[in-house]
Amino acid sequence: MTAMRAWTQAGATLIVSLGYLVLLQTPGLSNFAVDFISNVGQVLGAGFAAVSCALAARRNTGRHRSAWAWLAAGMGSWCLGQCVWTAYELLGRSVPFPSLADVGFLGFPLAAGFGLLLWLGTQGNQLVARSRDVIAGGIIALSLLVLSWATALGAVVEGGSGEGAFALVLSLAYPIGDLIMATLVLITLTRGAVGERASLIILALGLTVFAVGDSAFVYLASTSSFSSTDLVSNGGWFAGFLLMGAAGLSARHEVDWVEASVEATVARPSILQIALTYLPLVVAGAVVVSALLRAGAPRVELLLGVALVGMVLTHQ
């Protein structure tokens, strides 16, 4: 019943997200109205996620409480950064880069990533499990790096930055932060107890959707083609935070789902663990093959592909 309620809440957030995107595309809206809807919507979405995760922290104890609290802090940080961005845009001023908004935005992957690390610390300390996590995490991270390089990361590196080296490093921090968070949440999901799996899946979906929106923004910003009506970036941020908020609302009290099943998890990987480890690998392989079929020499994709093969052999 709890899992059903969690998925109902997640479905409701997607309906709200669709309404938000339809509203942004309403014909006849002034530029100010579009900016207002876009920016205020992002503030409300991130604020909802922060409050929901804070409530989840109150319902738990120990490391789970700290994990949800850090996730809430990260989302609150992004919300504050969006408030700064909104103030610039609604006052009719161009947002400088870097700005105080970037401090808030980059606080999200730092705090949320630390929260996910704390969550991993609740899944047992067996050496076998830890070793498997490290290797599986390496496969996931390299696979996601291939995907990121083929989209946002490669565009930023190859395009450079007109604002200098610091601005370039800051631009790279966004897709790299998304990559690290996606890796951590997938590892956390494979190691989570059955009772918390629904919330973790919804949290993973939210972070994935957010990362897609973030990468789209980085790519569009690097080509000077971002606008407040962009569906992928705005929709990814808004829907991502609503899903993360739904995960926080659906999180159960710790005593309801803690179970002594670590030994079984260590002894034999589940189908979910195998799928979440190798699904990104399959997609990354398709990207490498596509790059090889195109004209030119995709050196970076090829090198990452070779590294992936070595990592998979080590895992086996």
Side-chain angles (χ1 to χ4, degrees):
M1 183 64 70
T2 302
M4 180 65 69
R5 184 168 62 248
W7 287 111
T8 301
Q9 292 169 343
T13 64
L14 293 179
I15 294 173
V16 174
S17 301
L18 182 60
Y20 168 76
L21 294 178
V22 170
L23 187 59
L24 277 179
Q25 299 297 313
T26 302
L29 286 179
S30 65
N31 290 335
F32 178 82
V34 170
D35 287 340
F36 182 85
I37 295 170
S38 173
N39 287 290
V40 173
Q42 302 297 340
V43 171
L44 293 177
F48 164 71
V51 171
S52 298
C53 290
L55 292 174
R58 290 190 61 184
R59 293 196 297 271
N60 283 273
T61 58
R63 286 199 175 190
H64 278 92
R65 181 174 208 166
S66 299
W68 280 114
W70 278 100
L71 285 166
M75 295 166 194
S77 177
W78 200 96
C79 182
L80 291 175
Q82 183 60 36
C83 287
V84 174
W85 182 286
T86 300
Y88 273 111
E89 289 214 327
L90 295 186
L91 290 174
R93 300 168 57 185
S94 60
V95 184
F97 182 75
S99 71
L100 286 177
D102 294 292
V103 177
F105 292 151
L106 291 176
F108 172 53
L110 291 175
F114 184 70
L116 292 171
L117 282 174
L118 288 176
W119 206 319
L120 276 172
T122 68
Q123 307 301 329
N125 296 309
Q126 287 79 0
L127 179 60
V128 174
R130 289 298 180 209
S131 301
R132 191 173 67 216
D133 285 346
V134 169
I135 300 174
I139 294 173
I140 293 171
L142 278 175
S143 301
L144 295 177
L145 181 58
V146 171
L147 300 179
S148 182
W149 183 269
T151 54
L153 192 58
V156 173
V157 173
E158 293 172 3
S161 175
E163 301 294 334
F166 178 72
L168 175 59
V169 171
L170 198 59
S171 297
L172 292 173
Y174 285 99
I176 291 174
D178 295 335
L179 187 154
I180 293 172
M181 278 200 304
T183 301
L184 288 174
V185 76
L186 286 177
I187 298 174
T188 304
L189 181 56
T190 64
R191 301 275 289 131
V194 174
E196 62 181 341
R197 193 157 288 167
S199 296
L200 279 174
I201 291 175
I202 296 171
L203 179 64
L205 287 174
L207 286 169
T208 300
V209 172
F210 174 87
V212 170
D214 221 27
S215 296
F217 167 75
V218 171
Y219 175 78
L220 292 172
S222 67
T223 58
S224 301
S225 54
F226 174 76
S227 71
S228 296
T229 57
D230 180 69
L231 295 179
V232 179
S233 55
N234 284 294
W237 290 328
F238 187 75
F241 276 122
L242 289 190
L243 284 169
M244 294 179 221
L249 290 178
S250 66
R252 300 164 63 182
H253 193 281
E254 190 172 22
V255 299
D256 293 334
W257 50 255
V258 170
E259 54 190 24
S261 60
V262 175
E263 291 81 3
T265 302
V266 172
R268 186 173 185 176
S270 67
I271 295 176
L272 179 65
Q273 287 175 293
I274 297 171
L276 290 178
T277 300
Y278 288 104
L279 182 59
L281 175 65
V282 172
V283 179
V287 170
V288 172
V289 171
S290 175
L292 289 172
L293 292 176
R294 293 198 306 265
R299 292 187 299 272
V300 175
E301 290 92 336
L302 188 57
L303 288 174
L304 291 174
V306 171
L308 265 176
V309 171
M311 188 70 71
V312 171
L313 291 175
T314 303
H315 189 254
Q316 296 304 315

